[in-house]
């Protein structure tokens, strides 16, 4: 949150995200007007004077009557509420979509990754990373690869494919990664909404 607004501070001078959210700014602005016992007939002029150049431009672009103080506040409140709702929808949609794509993609890619490091359908490829892992595991366990160990699980998956449980685990990891990446992208998309007004002509 930005600095606390005052009755003499401007809401939005330049295109972009307001330094103080509209709901916070107008609440403080009205509190100051009440403290000053500002008459109702003067509030519209006071608000226009303190909206700032970009704030006034946005107000003029809004549909409906915006002549009275109440109408101005209502129109700007509805406008900023819609922007916040759009940002939430973008982030949620991107996160869910990324989770779905990431989960499916991880399961599809897993067999290729396993084969690439040497866990193939024909067994462990000589000279591969998988061979090195198996050698290290055998030495650590005293001469054999322990059942249920990471190497044993990967060897089985490479030979016969992922089990249902393994597929679920891989999908879960892929979904988490996909959701995180897509959520970040969604946040960037939502951020762009804050600057979209500067591209609009009146």
């Amino acid at each position: 949150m930005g600095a606390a607004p005052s009755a003499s501070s401007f809401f939005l001078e330049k295109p972009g995200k307001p330094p103080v959210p509209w709901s916070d700014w107008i609440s403080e602005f009205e509190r100051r007007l009440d403290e000053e016992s500002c008459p109702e007939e003067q509030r519209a002029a006071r608000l226009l004077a303190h909206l700032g150049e970009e704030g006034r431009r946005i107000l003029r672009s809004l549909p409906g009557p915006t002549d009275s103080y109440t109408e101005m506040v209502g129109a700007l409140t509805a406008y900023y509420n819609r922007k916040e709702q759009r940002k939430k929808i973008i982030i949620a949609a991107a996160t869910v979509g990324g989770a779905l794509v990431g989960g499916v993609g991880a399961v599809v890619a897993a067999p290729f990754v396993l084969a690439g490091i040497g866990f193939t359908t024909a067994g462990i490829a000589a000279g591969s990373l998988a061979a090195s892992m198996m050698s290290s595991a055998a030495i650590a366990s005293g001469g054999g690869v322990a059942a249920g160990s990471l190497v044993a699980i990967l060897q089985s998956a490479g030979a016969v494919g992922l089990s249902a449980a393994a597929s679920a685990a891989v999908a879960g990891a892929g979904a988490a990664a996909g959701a995180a990446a897509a959520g970040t992208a969604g946040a960037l998309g939502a951020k762009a909404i804050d600057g979209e007004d500067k591209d609009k002509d009146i």
Side-chain angles (χ1 to χ4, degrees):
M1 184 181 297
S6 70
S8 60
S9 65
F10 294 112
F11 170 62
L12 187 61
E13 283 280 66
K14 299 178 181 179
K17 184 177 181 180
V20 178
W22 166 253
S23 58
D24 295 339
W25 188 89
I26 193 61
S27 293
E28 180 63 14
F29 185 79
E30 291 186 333
R31 187 183 70 80
R32 296 297 179 92
L33 293 182
D34 289 340
E35 286 181 351
E36 297 172 14
S37 300
C38 179
E40 189 67 28
E41 62 271 16
Q42 295 180 14
R43 295 195 173 204
R46 289 283 297 273
L47 178 59
L48 281 174
H50 291 92
L51 278 179
E53 183 178 348
E54 179 63 9
R56 287 189 292 272
R57 188 196 70 77
I58 291 173
L59 179 63
R60 290 194 302 269
S61 73
L62 300 179
T66 54
D67 297 324
S68 70
Y69 176 80
T70 300
E71 289 170 344
M72 292 179 188
V73 173
L76 286 168
T77 298
Y79 170 77
Y80 280 104
N81 284 345
R82 285 195 301 271
K83 289 190 75 169
E84 287 303 312
Q85 189 62 30
R86 285 173 60 198
K87 288 191 284 187
K88 291 177 182 178
I89 291 172
I90 287 174
I91 293 173
T95 302
V96 171
L100 291 173
V101 173
V104 173
V107 173
V108 172
F112 299 99
V113 174
L114 289 173
I117 63 175
F119 292 103
T120 71
T121 55
I124 292 180
S128 65
L129 175 60
S132 298
M133 291 174 64
M134 185 176 69
S135 176
S136 298
I139 293 173
S141 62
V145 177
S149 66
L150 175 61
V151 172
I153 293 172
L154 293 178
Q155 184 177 8
S156 175
V160 300
L162 296 176
S163 65
S167 293
V170 171
T184 300
L188 292 174
K191 185 176 180 182
I193 291 178
D194 289 322
E196 68 183 7
D197 292 320
K198 63 184 178 183
D199 298 323
K200 296 179 181 176
D201 295 323
I202 297 176

